[in-house]
Amino acid sequence: MRRRTAKKHRTLPDPRFNETLVTRFVNNLMLDGKKNTSFKIFYDAIDKVSEKTGEDGLEQWKKALENITPAVEVRSKRVGGATFQIPMPIRDSRKLSMGMKWLISYSRKRNEKSMSEKLAGEIIAGAKEEGAAFKKKEDTHRMAEANKAFSHFRF
């Protein structure tokens, strides 16, 4: 076991919106250490969202992220030879990182031309409570609801 808890790294706010949440998202979006490229993709996506919806792009992104973040998840646990899916609440930092990762992974799977268009499309869909990332959250919640009977196995 670990001797002491790991230190939390402080993320710096991004240059355009001065938000640490944006930097966390861009760090998840980044591939091969190309942070400037991922910042450019994110800012282009935000501009496209505000262009298409006529509302503030950053607010739409925050709304989409809020709609996508899950509240519970199911974890596998072995009890007496059988494996049960046990619903468990998620701590806040994990909720947020799961939502970000789902938004990014499902936007990568979309069919638009550039990554910024894919991300913009998924942000707009998430803000409207539709799209693949929102469906993933709904499926997770549905699975947790279905396995609520096994929640007494939690610990």
Side-chain angles (χ1 to χ4, degrees), residues 57-150:
L58 189 68
E59 292 304 315
Q60 287 288 316
W61 172 72
K62 284 182 179 176
K63 187 178 175 188
L65 204 56
E66 190 179 299
N67 289 343
I68 290 167
T69 51
V72 289
E73 68 177 337
V74 287
R75 291 224 168 139
S76 298
K77 188 170 182 183
R78 247 182 104 89
V79 178
T83 307
F84 295 106
Q85 297 283 345
I86 299 167
M88 293 186 140
I90 317 172
R91 64 180 195 279
D92 291 335
S93 60
R94 182 165 160 77
K95 279 182 197 179
L96 205 55
S97 67
M98 282 173 80
M100 287 179 183
K101 285 171 184 169
W102 289 348
L103 186 64
I104 291 165
S105 66
Y106 286 110
S107 60
R108 283 196 176 119
K109 292 174 185 172
R110 286 176 74 98
N111 284 329
E112 281 93 5
K113 271 198 169 160
S114 68
M115 183 57 196
S116 58
E117 287 176 18
K118 293 176 183 182
L119 186 59
E122 196 63 37
I123 288 170
I124 292 168
K128 291 180 187 171
E129 293 190 348
E130 50 194 44
F134 184 74
K135 187 178 180 302
K136 171 77 171 172
K137 176 206 166 186
E138 290 292 304
D139 290 345
T140 306
H141 279 240
R142 203 173 297 118
M143 194 184 283
E145 188 67 31
N147 291 306
K148 204 194 310 186
F150 303 122

Side-chain angles (χ1 to χ4, degrees), residues 5-23:
T5 56
K7 291 178 189 164
K8 292 280 179 195
H9 291 279
R10 230 171 40 91
T11 51
L12 297 171
D14 75 298
R16 185 164 156 189
F17 299 113
N18 206 29
E19 295 256 355
T20 55
L21 193 64
V22 171
T23 309

Side-chain angles (χ1 to χ4, degrees), residues 19-59:
E19 295 256 355
T20 55
L21 193 64
V22 171
T23 309
R24 277 184 66 183
F25 187 81
V26 166
N27 286 342
N28 281 320
L29 183 63
M30 178 172 49
L31 293 173
D32 298 327
K34 305 236 176 210
K35 197 168 200 166
N36 281 336
T37 308
S38 56
F39 265 122
K40 188 175 181 306
I41 289 168
F42 179 76
Y43 291 147
D44 286 348
I46 293 297
D47 292 340
K48 285 174 183 163
V49 167
S50 49
E51 214 175 273
K52 287 178 183 174
T53 60
E55 296 174 37
D56 183 26
L58 189 68
E59 292 304 315

